[in-house]
């Protein structure tokens, strides 16, 4: 049996409520020592399963906070152990105090991810699901959430098993002719092996292609808004924010000069970075801000380059535009509500362009659409439930498998014999096995007996 | 009467022989019990020795001091190279042994040892004292005492022969069974289960129409199983190939209602790798043409083994079906095919030394451990013989691993995996088949052989010298270079080889498909070596990259072996394990994580749980 663990489950810092979570066989005993019910006629001993109970947390005689306590009895809990969740007033000090009391009365401090580890160790979830839960916690967008959930449902496993079966068929055929040379079973033709491997290779490649996309979706797309001073950067930011007001998260900027905001466009999370206006300056403080802008620009996945339609296109603006990576830049031509002074011919065809008026909120929808299509390189209508690889472990394993397949193909092309093909093939299969379950030799043997009539 | 010796061996089959000889060579006084002295070293089923995996076992047994490889080299009708085009790791030999000579000469060999006593008696009971075996009792009320006992009983424990609806107790067709001994095993805590195996009919050579069958020869100048064999010529008598026809399949189908496996007379598991003709038709009804090999059993007999036609159908059906096969229209059956059911002991009750966990100084080898095959039996017999000797001398046992031998794989598999059928070694059971080749068995087990101590010192020292020379020569080839001079390219051109544009190593040149050691002479000072040395040098150089890759995988295994499982672990408390994994873990009691990988029913998920659980345990996060 595992020791009883405790941890603060809400983010550190100020919040409306904080939650301290306890899991383990002693969870209720510990609660009994620190919790008094508001209604004194009821006893902490026989609280109902899945009930929410109002009362107070004490450290001995000393009152700490007024709380709601959720009771969850094993085995139908997240960890399959007895669990208690103490919902207290948010704030660093109160939650910390309650955590300390739970430790004082018998719990030990949980390590990172230990609740999920317990869920895994107690057989509630698979390793893959555990990873997905971590991803879900860390996901910042709807699309990423839906991706984690579909992993939870085993879609990835299904896809991997499919590929694995293709490889298994190849290796079975190789093995059967090595294991049973006098059975009159035809040797696999190199070109057929090559082709069958090609199918598996293609499937893995297309899964891997989703990784960059998946990663971006999971982490949010770093979007730099740049332009000369007063072209309307802040108003564009505000206009975009207005659209999604309900789910905006304010992240305090790390510097005074760069403000980060999160917005969601069609299920994708964008981290908008409003930079200081870029221009030649002698002002040291302003120059520092501009330097930071340039750094933000370099690390950005997406650049919104704002120009003012009501002004001439200046030389340094042109130079800045030239220095940008076309594939990740959208030129946002603002102030369409004013008289046009900008010579549109100066902005080349190769750029994606959107005309808007931030003040009048015109063209914002088009801007969002352009952003989405640039990032995902797909139409907005794309399905939400496609598999995306957004986990580095999965990616590494798939790459290993892909490399294995490529080596097998090379081995075949070089005319090497069957047993060497089998060695590389094993690498390819191992890669996939790292993601889901396993292929043991026993499986290969079973497959042989299913597919071929062998033995004398 | 009572008698005392060092080691008792029960059973004179391929396991018992190796056990007896190994112990005798280690200086022990051995008594070998057999039910019929004339049947020592009998090959109960086909005349073939070797084949994929099995060849490797024979070569490994040979370098450790076993007899099977040398004896097969000496008493065979044909040796054939198999898998010649599938790569160096797949290359193996298969011999057609001369069953009669094999048997007679093996008996002579045993009789030539002054410290071996052979007794024709049926062992019926174990004599134990405090869970340690002291000796055995026989049916005629004799008691024999020894420091250790090895059981190699084959199919004789409560053996039951089945032909159609007819069945009788027998250890082999026409021989007695041992009815008492497995009761005694059970009484003393060994778990006894039943398996089944079968053999095809033997027909008269004179009844075959040879105009309708294809002659198949072996090699005129074959390689041999034993690294010690020095033979200038070998017999190369043919076997013959024919096929089943549509009429055969129809006839099998017609007779299926009489098949014991259809009627349910046989419920025990037989080997899937050796399916009966009934089973082939049931599982693959659409396949018409199954190969049938006709194999001569001995120069001294005209019996022909009908390979591919295993069956326990009633006598009339066997005859009807055989007659549909081209060449066998007028077949005369000399012995009918039959199935045999027998007792075996749960091998999970064994240690890697093949000593039982339950009874001290009792060792088991061969079919009693649920395996099938002469080679598998011989390998275990050798290990049991060595380890029984070591045990009574107070020495550490000889343990082979999955990464150095097929013997290691065989023992590890039967100790950890669920036995669903009689176990046979196959190349696909190995994760490192490029390293575990037949040709290099003598090199990879040189050190282990020194540890075993059975093989002649002189032979070992001689082979050690060869091994060292090979390593040095490989290094010399890897470190020598040739340069794109005019002469070099001219020479290459004369050899019809592609020229070189930059400096390459001699090894790179040798790695070319068309190259061999003697062909590099114009560029490199080659030396005089034995044939087997040159073979090793070429393989090591040519397959260096692949071998290196396998070595990396072997290192991973070593890490798993180093992750020890605390003996105090209680699997019932590891909640996340699947039930089957938990049961099998409790059953096998693995010592490290590597062993867990080989336990059937334990998935990667279970292994992850176990690893994490053990880490938590070691961190002290468990109550």
């Amino acid at each position: 049996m595992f020791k009883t663990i405790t941890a603060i489950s809400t983010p550190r810092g100020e919040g409306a409520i904080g939650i301290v979570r306890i899991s383990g066989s002693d969870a209720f005993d510990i609660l009994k020592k620190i919790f008094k019910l508001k209604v004194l006629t009821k006893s902490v001993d026989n609280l109902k399963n899945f009930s929410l109970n109002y009362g107070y947390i004490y450290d001995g005689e000393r009152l700490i906070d007024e709380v709601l306590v959720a009771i969850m009895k094993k085995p139908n809990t997240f960890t399959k152990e007895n669990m208690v969740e103490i919902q207290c007033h948010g704030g660093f000090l109160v939650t910390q105090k309650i955590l300390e009391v739970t430790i004082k009365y018998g719990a030990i401090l949980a390590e990172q991810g230990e609740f999920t580890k317990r869920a895994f160790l107690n057989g509630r979830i698979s390793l893959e699901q555990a990873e997905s839960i971590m991803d879900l916690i860390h996901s910042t967008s709807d699309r990423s959430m839906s991706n984690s959930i579909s992993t939870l449902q085993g879609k990835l496993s299904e896809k991997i098993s499919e590929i694995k079966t293709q490889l298994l068929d190849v290796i079975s055929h190789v093995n059967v002719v090595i294991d049973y040379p006098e059975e009159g079973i035809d040797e696999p033709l190199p070109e057929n092996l090559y082709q069958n491997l090609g199918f598996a290779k293609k499937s893995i490649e297309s899964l891997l292609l989703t990784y960059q996309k998946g990663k971006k979706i999971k982490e949010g797309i770093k979007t730099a808004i740049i332009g000369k001073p007063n072209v309307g950067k802040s108003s564009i930011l505000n206009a975009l924010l207005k659209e999604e007001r309900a789910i905006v998260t304010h992240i305090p900027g790390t510097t005074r000069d760069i403000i980060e905001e999160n917005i969601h466009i069609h299920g994708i999370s964008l981290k908008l970075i409003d930079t200081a206006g870029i221009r030649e300056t002698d002002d040291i403080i302003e120059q520092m801000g501009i330097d930071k802008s340039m750094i933000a620009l370099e690390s950005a996945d997406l650049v919104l380059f704002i120009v003012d339609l009501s002004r001439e296109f200046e030389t340094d603006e042109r130079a800045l535009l030239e220095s940008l990576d076309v594939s990740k830049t959208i030129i946002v031509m603002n102030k369409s509500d004013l008289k046009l002074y900008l010579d549109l011919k100066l902005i080349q065809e190769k750029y994606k362009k959107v005309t808007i008026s931030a003040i009048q909120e015109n063209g914002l929808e088009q801007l969002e659409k352009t952003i989405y299509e640039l990032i995902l390189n797909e139409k907005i209508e794309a399905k939400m439930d496609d598999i995306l690889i957004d986990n580095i472990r999965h990616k590494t394993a798939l790459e290993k498998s892909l490399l294995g397949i490529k080596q097998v193909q090379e081995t075949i092309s070089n005319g090497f014999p069957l047993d060497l093909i089998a060695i590389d093939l094993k690498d390819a299969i191992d890669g996939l096995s790292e993601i889901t379950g396993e292929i043991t030799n026993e499986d290969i043997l079973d497959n042989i007996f299913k597919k071929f009539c062998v033995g004398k | 009467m009572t008698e005392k010796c060092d080691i008792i061996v029960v059973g004179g089959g391929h396991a018992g022989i190796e056990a007896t000889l190994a112990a005798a060579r280690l200086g022990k006084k051995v008594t070998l019990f057999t039910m019929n002295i004339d049947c020592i070293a009998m090959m109960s089923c086909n005349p073939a020795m070797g084949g994929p995996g099995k060849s490797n076992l024979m070569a490994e047994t040979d370098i450790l001091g076993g007899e099977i490889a040398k004896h097969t080299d000496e008493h065979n009708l044909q040796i054939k190279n198999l898998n010649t085009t599938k790569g160096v790791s797949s290359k193996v030999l298969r011999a057609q042994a001369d069953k009669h000579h094999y048997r007679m000469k093996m008996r002579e060999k045993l009789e030539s040892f002054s410290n071996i006593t052979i007794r024709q008696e049926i062992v019926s009971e174990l004599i134990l004292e405090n869970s340690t075996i002291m000796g055995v009792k026989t049916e005629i009320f004799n008691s024999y005492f020894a420091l250790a006992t090895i059981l190699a009983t084959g199919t004789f424990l409560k053996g039951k022969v089945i032909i159609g609806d007819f069945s009788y107790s027998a250890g082999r067709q026409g021989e007695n069974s041992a009815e008492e001994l497995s009761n005694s095993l059970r009484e003393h805590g060994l778990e006894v289960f039943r398996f089944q195996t079968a053999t095809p009919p033997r027909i008269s050579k004179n009844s075959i129409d040879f105009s309708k069958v294809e002659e198949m020869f072996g090699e005129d100048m074959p390689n041999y199983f034993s690294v010690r064999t020095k033979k200038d010529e070998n017999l190369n008598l043919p076997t013959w190939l024919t096929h089943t026809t549509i009429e055969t399949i129809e006839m099998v189908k017609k007779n299926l209602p009489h098949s014991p496996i259809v009627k349910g007379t046989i419920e025990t598991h037989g080997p899937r790798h050796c399916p009966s003709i009934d089973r082939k038709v049931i599982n693959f009804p659409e396949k018409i043409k199954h190969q049938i090999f006709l194999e001569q059993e001995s120069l001294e007999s005209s019996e022909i083994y009908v390979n591919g036609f295993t069956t326990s159908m009633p006598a009339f059906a066997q005859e009807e079906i055989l007659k549909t096969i081209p060449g066998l229209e007028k077949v005369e059956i000399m012995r009918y095919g039959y199935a045999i059911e027998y007792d075996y002991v749960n091998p999970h009750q064994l240690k890697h030394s093949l000593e039982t966990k339950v009874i001290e100084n009792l060792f088991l080898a061969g079919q009693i451990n649920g395996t099938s095959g002469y080679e598998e039996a011989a390998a275990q017999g050798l290990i049991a013989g060595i380890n029984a000797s070591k045990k009574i001398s107070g020495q550490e046992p000889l343990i082979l691993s999955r990464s150095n031998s097929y013997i290691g794989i065989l023992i590890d598999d039967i100790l950890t995996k669920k036995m669903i059928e009689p176990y046979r070694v196959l190349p696909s059971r190995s994760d490192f088949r490029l390293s575990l080749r037949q040709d290099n068995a003598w090199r990879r087990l040189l050190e282990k052989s020194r540890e075993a101590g059975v093989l002649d010192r002189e032979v070992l020292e001689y082979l050690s010298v060869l091994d060292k020379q090979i390593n040095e020569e490989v290094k010399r080839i890897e470190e020598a270079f040739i340069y794109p001079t005019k002469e070099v390219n001219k020479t290459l051109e004369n050899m019809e080889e592609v020229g070189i544009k930059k400096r390459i190593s001699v090894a790179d040149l040798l790695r070319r498909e068309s190259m061999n050691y003697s062909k590099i002479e114009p560029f490199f000072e080659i030396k005089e070596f034995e044939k087997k040395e040159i073979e090793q040098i070429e393989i090591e150089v040519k397959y260096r990259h692949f071998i290196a890759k396998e070595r990396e995988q072997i290192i991973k295994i070593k890490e798993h072996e180093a992750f020890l499982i605390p003996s105090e672990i209680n699997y019932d408390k590891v909640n996340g394990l699947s039930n089957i994994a938990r049961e099998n873990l409790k059953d096998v009691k693995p010592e490290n994580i590597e062993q867990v990988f080989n336990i059937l029913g334990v998935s990667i998920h279970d292994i992850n749980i176990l690893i994490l659980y053990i880490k938590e345990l070691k961190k002290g996060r468990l109550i």
Side-chain angles (χ1 to χ4, degrees):
Chain A
M1 218 184 312
F2 297 105
K3 289 179 179 168
T4 302
I5 49 172
T6 181
I8 298 171
S9 296
T10 40
R12 296 296 171 109
E14 286 175 35
I17 60 164
I19 296 177
V20 173
R21 182 149 78 151
I22 312 170
S23 176
S25 52
D26 295 338
F28 300 143
D29 287 340
I30 293 166
L31 183 71
K32 218 170 99 183
K33 291 176 193 155
I34 61 173
F35 180 57
K36 288 206 174 86
L37 283 157
K38 170 87 171 175
V39 185
L40 289 168
T41 50
K42 285 208 295 192
S43 152
V44 180
D45 273 333
N46 30 22
L47 294 175
K48 276 196 202 127
N49 196 11
F50 297 123
S51 64
L52 202 56
N53 306 280
Y54 180 38
Y56 306 95
I57 294 289
Y58 282 88
D59 177 6
E61 295 301 308
R62 196 159 70 89
L63 174 69
I64 294 175
D65 196 13
E66 180 187 18
V67 296
L68 282 173
V69 170
I71 299 290
M72 289 161 277
K73 294 182 180 167
K74 68 174 183 188
N76 295 321
T77 70
F78 177 58
T79 57
K80 286 188 110 178
E81 299 173 340
N82 285 335
M83 287 186 79
V84 167
E85 280 180 15
I86 302 169
Q87 303 179 7
C88 60
H89 288 104
F92 182 77
L93 206 64
V94 179
T95 43
Q96 186 65 29
K97 275 278 164 233
I98 291 179
L99 178 73
E100 283 167 14
V101 177
T102 59
I103 291 171
K104 186 169 170 188
Y105 289 93
I108 57 172
L109 187 62
E111 293 173 351
Q112 215 172 7
E114 198 167 4
F115 288 94
T116 310
K117 190 176 4 177
R118 290 274 168 99
F120 170 69
L121 281 169
N122 288 324
R124 165 115 156 64
I125 54 170
S126 68
L127 192 61
E128 210 190 338
Q129 286 169 329
E131 281 185 321
S132 279
I133 287 169
M134 300 316 269
D135 288 347
L136 194 58
I137 293 167
H138 296 133
S139 71
T140 51
S141 69
D142 295 347
R143 175 75 188 249
S144 163
M145 224 167 97
S146 118
N147 193 36
S148 294
I149 287 167
S150 77
T151 307
L152 276 174
Q153 290 161 347
K155 272 200 177 163
L156 180 63
S157 308
E158 238 172 68
K159 183 75 197 165
I160 301 284
S161 308
E162 215 179 282
I163 304 171
K164 221 153 63 164
T165 310
Q166 290 170 340
L167 296 181
L168 189 61
D169 283 351
V170 174
I171 205 168
S172 298
H173 199 168
V174 171
N175 277 341
V176 77
V177 296
I178 291 175
D179 282 358
Y180 302 97
E182 294 185 284
E183 293 296 323
I185 296 163
D186 292 334
E187 279 186 42
L189 294 172
E191 52 269 33
N192 288 351
L193 286 180
Y194 198 95
Q195 197 184 11
N196 289 343
L197 288 167
F199 297 134
K201 184 174 147 209
K202 219 171 147 196
S203 305
I204 294 176
E205 278 170 342
S206 53
L207 273 179
L208 274 172
L209 274 180
T210 66
Y211 176 71
Q212 281 311 323
K213 205 191 274 184
K215 184 169 165 264
K216 278 186 193 163
I217 285 173
K218 182 166 147 189
E219 291 170 0
I221 287 119
K222 269 195 204 159
T223 308
I225 302 180
I226 64 159
K228 294 193 62 106
N230 298 321
V231 291
K233 294 187 295 295
S234 298
S235 31
I236 288 172
L237 177 66
N238 286 334
L240 286 171
L241 289 176
K242 211 180 208 172
E243 290 272 311
E244 303 274 342
R245 183 62 73 191
I247 47 170
V248 164
T249 355
H250 290 267
I251 300 165
T254 45
T255 76
R256 257 179 246 170
D257 313 296
I258 293 181
I259 294 168
E260 275 192 29
E261 300 277 2
N262 265 14
I263 68 160
H264 290 246
I265 291 177
H266 304 291
I268 304 172
S269 165
L270 296 192
K271 255 189 231 166
L272 288 179
I273 305 155
D274 186 12
T275 62
I278 294 169
R279 60 169 177 180
E280 295 283 332
T281 179
D282 293 332
D283 183 328
I284 294 171
I285 306 244
E286 192 181 355
Q287 186 55 50
M288 282 167 69
I290 291 171
D291 288 347
K292 279 181 184 139
S293 299
M294 295 311 286
I295 291 165
L297 197 57
E298 269 164 35
S299 66
D301 301 314
L302 172 68
V303 177
L304 299 181
F305 186 82
I306 319 291
V307 294
D308 185 345
L309 285 169
S310 69
R311 270 191 349 213
E312 302 248 350
F313 200 43
E314 291 175 29
T315 327
D316 56 344
E317 253 180 314
R318 254 157 85 180
L320 182 61
L321 181 60
E322 287 295 317
S323 72
L324 295 177
D325 177 354
V326 182
S327 67
K328 62 175 193 183
T329 304
I330 296 172
I331 300 181
V332 183
M333 300 183 291
N334 192 21
K335 306 194 187 176
S336 63
D337 49 308
L338 300 179
K339 191 168 169 14
L340 178 72
Y341 277 96
L342 187 119
D343 183 359
L344 290 175
K345 272 178 261 161
L346 292 173
I347 296 170
Q348 292 163 331
E349 271 303 305
K350 61 181 177 186
Y351 294 103
K352 282 203 170 16
K353 295 178 282 262
V354 187
T355 307
I356 66 160
S357 164
I359 301 288
Q360 294 189 347
E361 294 178 16
N362 274 339
L364 286 174
E365 223 167 277
Q366 185 56 40
L367 174 59
E368 289 181 359
K369 211 171 149 215
T370 311
I371 291 172
Y372 183 93
E373 289 178 3
L374 182 84
I375 291 164
L376 292 192
N377 197 19
E378 68 183 17
K379 295 289 173 212
I380 284 187
E381 296 75 29
K383 276 181 280 158
M384 286 285 274
D385 59 354
D386 285 350
I387 302 166
L388 287 181
I389 302 294
D390 57 6
N391 174 302
I392 183 77
R393 192 178 68 86
H394 292 170
K395 179 181 171 249
T396 314
L398 282 172
E399 279 168 348
K400 176 176 164 193
S401 183
L402 186 64
L403 185 69
I405 294 178
K406 282 181 182 163
Q407 279 168 345
V408 186
Q409 288 190 325
E410 205 188 309
T411 307
I412 296 173
S413 305
N414 289 337
F416 281 115
L418 283 178
D419 58 353
L420 299 183
I421 293 174
I423 287 179
D424 289 327
L425 210 47
K426 194 175 164 292
D427 267 4
I429 289 174
D430 282 354
L432 298 178
S433 304
E434 279 171 26
I435 299 180
T436 61
E438 61 172 338
I439 284 191
T440 64
N441 282 347
E442 217 60 40
D443 292 332
I444 294 171
L445 287 176
D446 282 339
N447 205 39
I448 286 177
F449 291 121
K450 257 184 245 150
K451 290 212 144 65
F452 304 95
C453 179
V454 295
K456 50 188 182 185
Chain B
M1 72 161 268
T2 58
E3 187 182 275
K4 242 187 127 131
C5 67
D6 294 326
I7 291 172
I8 287 171
V9 176
V10 182
H14 307 283
I17 294 164
E18 297 288 359
T20 304
L21 288 173
R25 284 174 171 140
L26 289 171
K28 305 301 173 203
K29 197 169 172 324
V30 191
T31 302
L32 170 65
F33 288 93
T34 170
M35 290 165 79
N36 185 345
I37 294 180
D38 297 324
C39 294
I40 283 175
M42 171 84 96
M43 299 173 79
S44 320
C45 198
N46 66 353
M49 281 282 189
K54 289 165 173 279
S55 247
N56 311 56
L57 278 182
M58 285 169 74
E60 291 167 6
T61 306
D62 178 61
I63 182 65
L64 294 172
E67 202 61 33
I68 188 170
K70 241 175 95 201
H71 208 67
T72 302
D73 287 341
E74 277 156 31
H75 307 289
N76 68 77
L77 305 177
Q78 176 199 99
I79 294 180
K80 191 173 168 61
N81 296 333
L82 302 181
N83 280 344
T84 47
T85 60
K86 295 166 197 163
V88 67
S89 77
S90 315
K91 280 186 192 163
V92 289
L93 304 175
R94 192 258 304 127
Q96 296 300 119
D98 184 315
K99 282 187 170 187
H100 285 250
H101 290 170
Y102 194 95
R103 186 157 57 81
M104 307 299 285
K105 294 291 172 185
M106 192 61 94
R107 176 182 163 174
E108 269 176 33
K109 174 132 265 166
L110 288 163
E111 287 173 346
S112 72
F113 279 77
S114 61
N115 55 343
I116 295 175
T117 306
I118 302 174
R119 292 190 171 276
Q120 181 166 310
E121 274 184 74
I122 298 181
V123 171
S124 55
E125 214 179 297
L126 305 180
I127 304 170
L128 261 72
E129 217 175 276
N130 300 328
S131 299
T132 302
I133 189 151
M134 308 309 287
V136 297
K137 278 185 192 152
T138 64
E139 276 185 354
I140 51 172
F141 306 111
N142 281 338
S143 293
Y144 295 89
F145 293 91
L147 299 171
T149 297
I150 300 166
L151 299 184
T153 51
T155 56
F156 282 71
L157 296 182
K158 281 202 189 352
K160 191 177 107 181
V161 163
I162 299 151
I163 305 176
D165 289 334
F166 176 64
S167 75
Y168 65 101
S169 290
R172 194 158 36 209
Q173 200 176 25
E175 292 181 53
N176 287 331
S177 62
E179 290 297 313
E180 310 287 328
L181 188 55
S182 45
N183 295 340
S184 181
L185 296 178
R186 227 183 242 116
E187 249 168 59
H188 295 299
L190 290 166
E191 295 160 20
V192 178
F193 304 120
R194 273 177 98 65
F195 265 157
Q196 170 257 123
T197 188
T199 194
R202 316 294 198 269
I203 61 176
S204 162
K205 190 176 176 185
N206 305 327
S207 69
I208 299 170
D209 179 351
F210 285 99
S211 69
K212 293 183 177 162
V213 296
E214 192 187 337
E215 255 182 344
M216 312 280 283
F217 286 95
E219 317 300 327
D220 286 327
M221 294 288 290
N223 290 317
Y224 294 98
F225 290 96
S226 170
V227 72
R228 295 173 276 166
T229 296
K230 288 194 172 69
K231 219 178 158 187
D232 295 329
E233 52 182 350
N234 196 56
L235 280 180
N236 188 5
L237 300 181
T239 58
W240 298 271
L241 176 63
T242 178
H243 291 99
T244 56
T245 59
I246 182 80
E247 289 76 31
T248 316
I249 305 303
E250 290 309 318
M251 197 56 85
V252 173
K253 282 181 181 163
K254 187 192 130 199
N255 280 297
L256 273 181
H258 304 295
S259 164
I261 54 176
V262 174
K263 289 179 83 172
T265 322
I266 296 174
E267 288 177 9
T268 42
H269 291 283
R272 284 183 301 176
H273 50 79
C274 204
S276 60
I277 189 77
D278 334 12
R279 178 65 67 198
K280 287 180 188 176
V281 172
I282 295 168
N283 289 358
F284 298 90
E286 71 291 347
K287 187 169 174 176
I288 305 299
K289 210 174 163 186
H290 295 279
Q291 296 185 126
I292 302 290
F293 288 96
L294 304 174
E295 301 170 356
Q296 184 155 354
E297 297 218 325
S298 170
L299 287 174
E300 315 294 336
S301 101
S302 67
E303 273 184 85
I304 298 284
Y305 178 92
V306 188
N307 190 339
F309 197 85
T310 300
T311 188
S312 58
M313 288 240 205
F316 69 87
Q318 293 192 22
E319 192 163 330
E320 263 184 15
I321 301 165
L322 274 179
K323 286 191 165 157
T324 63
I325 295 172
L328 305 186
E329 293 83 357
K330 295 186 176 151
V331 72
E332 285 167 21
I333 296 177
M334 295 175 76
R335 305 185 203 217
Y336 285 96
Y338 65 94
I340 183 161
E341 287 186 330
Y342 55 95
D343 284 346
Y344 73 97
V345 172
N346 180 5
H348 292 184
Q349 293 183 296
L350 295 172
K351 302 176 188 173
H352 278 83
S353 63
L354 295 183
E355 185 183 7
T356 67
K357 291 175 184 170
V358 188
I359 301 171
E360 189 158 10
N361 293 348
L362 177 67
F363 293 75
L364 308 182
Q367 275 170 307
I368 193 171
N369 292 336
T371 62
S372 112
Y374 310 139
E375 304 84 346
E376 285 84 348
Q380 292 171 68
L382 176 78
I383 298 295
I386 292 170
N387 285 333
S389 306
K390 289 194 175 282
K391 181 79 192 282
I392 62 177
S393 303
Q395 293 168 347
E396 287 297 310
L398 179 80
I399 308 289
L400 300 183
S401 83
R402 300 188 78 82
S403 50
N404 67 19
S405 60
Y406 277 90
I407 299 180
I409 293 169
L410 160 70
I411 293 175
D412 201 51
D413 275 352
I414 62 171
L415 260 60
T416 54
K417 289 185 173 161
K418 265 272 180 292
M419 300 287 270
I420 52 168
E421 61 186 328
Y423 179 96
R424 169 182 177 176
V425 150
L426 291 165
S428 58
R429 295 193 192 273
S430 165
D431 288 325
F432 312 113
R433 59 182 174 213
L434 193 54
S435 307
L436 306 187
R437 305 186 309 269
Q438 182 197 319
D439 64 74
N440 71 348
W442 65 274
R443 294 181 67 206
R444 55 186 153 87
L445 293 178
L446 215 46
E447 277 315 303
K448 282 287 167 188
S449 182
R450 212 180 291 276
E451 194 185 324
V454 180
L455 197 65
D456 284 346
R457 283 279 141 197
E458 281 157 41
V459 177
L460 261 177
E461 292 321 315
Y462 172 65
L463 291 176
S464 299
V465 170
L466 297 195
D467 183 56
K468 200 167 155 241
Q469 285 175 350
I470 292 163
N471 288 334
E472 283 169 1
E473 188 65 359
V474 168
K475 191 160 177 270
R476 208 167 67 91
I477 293 172
E478 291 285 355
E479 287 170 359
F481 292 92
I482 55 172
Y483 297 85
T485 61
K486 267 190 188 149
E487 294 126 65
V488 163
N489 277 324
K490 181 87 188 142
T491 317
L492 283 169
E493 197 187 316
N494 291 341
M495 294 168 75
E496 291 180 1
E497 282 291 322
V498 181
I500 58 170
K501 292 198 179 80
K502 52 178 185 153
R503 184 189 86 152
I504 65 167
S505 68
V506 174
D508 279 334
L509 184 66
L510 183 51
R511 278 192 266 274
R512 291 187 179 181
E513 211 185 329
S514 51
M515 293 301 285
N516 59 37
Y517 184 70
S518 63
K519 279 192 180 173
I520 59 176
E521 188 172 9
F523 317 97
F524 182 77
E525 182 207 342
I526 66 168
K527 294 182 180 171
E528 279 286 308
F529 285 117
E530 276 190 39
K531 191 176 150 203
K532 56 173 162 282
E533 287 181 284
I534 293 175
E535 181 186 29
Q536 292 301 307
I537 291 165
E538 286 178 352
I539 293 172
E540 285 254 324
V541 173
K542 279 178 179 283
Y543 296 93
R544 202 185 116 202
H545 300 304
F546 292 95
I547 293 172
K549 187 181 253 177
E550 253 193 22
R551 293 227 170 103
E552 276 170 38
Q553 294 169 345
I554 292 178
I555 290 169
K556 231 184 278 170
I557 286 220
K558 298 239 156 96
E559 282 168 17
H560 289 145
E561 280 171 350
F563 192 106
L564 299 179
I565 298 172
S567 55
E568 71 266 24
I569 194 163
N570 180 347
Y571 291 106
D572 285 327
K573 290 194 172 167
V574 190
N575 293 329
L577 294 173
S578 67
N579 285 334
I580 169 132
R582 182 176 300 116
E583 287 315 309
N584 291 350
L585 283 164
K586 280 160 74 174
D587 188 19
V588 175
K589 299 188 185 70
E591 287 154 24
N592 59 51
I593 287 294
E594 180 50 36
Q595 289 169 8
V596 177
F597 273 89
N598 303 312
I599 300 176
L600 201 71
V602 181
S603 66
I604 287 289
H605 174 77
D606 293 313
I607 293 172
N608 285 331
I609 289 210
L610 197 58
I611 289 173
L612 274 175
Y613 184 90
I614 292 165
K615 282 186 173 168
E616 297 293 298
L617 185 72
K618 289 177 179 167
K619 267 197 282 178
R621 288 183 94 77
L622 283 146
I623 297 166

